Amino acid sequence: MQQEKFGEKDFQNIIGNLLRYGVWISLTVAFIGGVIYLIHHGHEVENYSVFQEKDRSIFEVISSVYQGAIHGSGTSIIFFGIILLFLTPIFRILLSLFSFLIEKDYLYTVITLIVILIISISVALGFSH
């Protein structure tokens, strides 16, 4: 019996499933967070006349969201769902990178690395104001 080689079509299926399930999982997490938030704060009236932005690094924000989600904070769970939604295409890019490396397609490997570098710089500069 001949063993099948793991090919490009397999990676395309994995990437498609990653995008599909990543979006559904993130939406489900955000929905659950919304339900929890409404259960605890549904009767409150929000004051949107004043907006105060906290000057925090990306690591502080992620740590705060993680700690809040662990403790069942609806707001943090919503933000965790948003973070998952943001990470879904990032994981897609990383999977593409591995696919190009396995296929020895070095041009697309370099292009993908440039995209990852641009995203990393954008995130780093966006949170260091």
Side-chain angles (χ1 to χ4, degrees):
M1 239 202 266
Q2 187 178 15
Q3 186 177 7
E4 283 189 39
K5 188 176 176 184
F6 194 74
E8 182 180 346
K9 187 174 181 175
D10 297 319
F11 261 108
Q12 294 303 321
N13 286 336
I14 291 170
I15 289 171
N17 286 333
L18 170 75
L19 292 173
R20 185 177 305 109
Y21 296 128
V23 168
W24 278 109
I25 289 169
S26 62
L27 289 175
T28 302
V29 169
F31 179 78
I32 291 169
V35 169
I36 292 170
Y37 179 83
L38 288 175
I39 289 171
H40 292 102
H41 303 283
H43 61 281
E44 297 175 5
V45 177
E46 288 293 327
N47 180 8
Y48 293 109
S49 63
V50 178
F51 176 75
Q52 293 180 345
E53 183 179 6
K54 296 177 182 176
D55 191 21
R56 303 188 299 179
S57 74
I58 183 70
F59 302 109
E60 291 172 325
V61 171
I62 291 173
S63 174
S64 173
V65 168
Y66 175 75
Q67 291 299 322
I70 293 295
H71 292 99
S73 165
T75 307
S76 294
I77 294 171
I78 293 169
F79 280 117
F80 184 66
I82 293 170
I83 290 171
L84 288 176
L85 186 63
F86 173 75
L87 289 176
T88 299
I90 303 296
F91 288 139
R92 186 245 188 264
I93 294 170
L94 291 173
L95 274 176
S96 296
L97 177 66
F98 291 121
S99 171
F100 297 141
L101 283 171
I102 288 172
E103 295 172 11
K104 295 181 176 25
D105 190 342
Y106 298 116
L107 174 63
Y108 281 107
T109 299
V110 171
I111 292 170
T112 305
L113 284 170
I114 291 170
V115 169
I116 292 170
L117 179 67
I118 290 169
I119 292 171
S120 300
I121 290 171
S122 298
V123 169
L125 293 178
F127 281 97
S128 65
H129 55 286

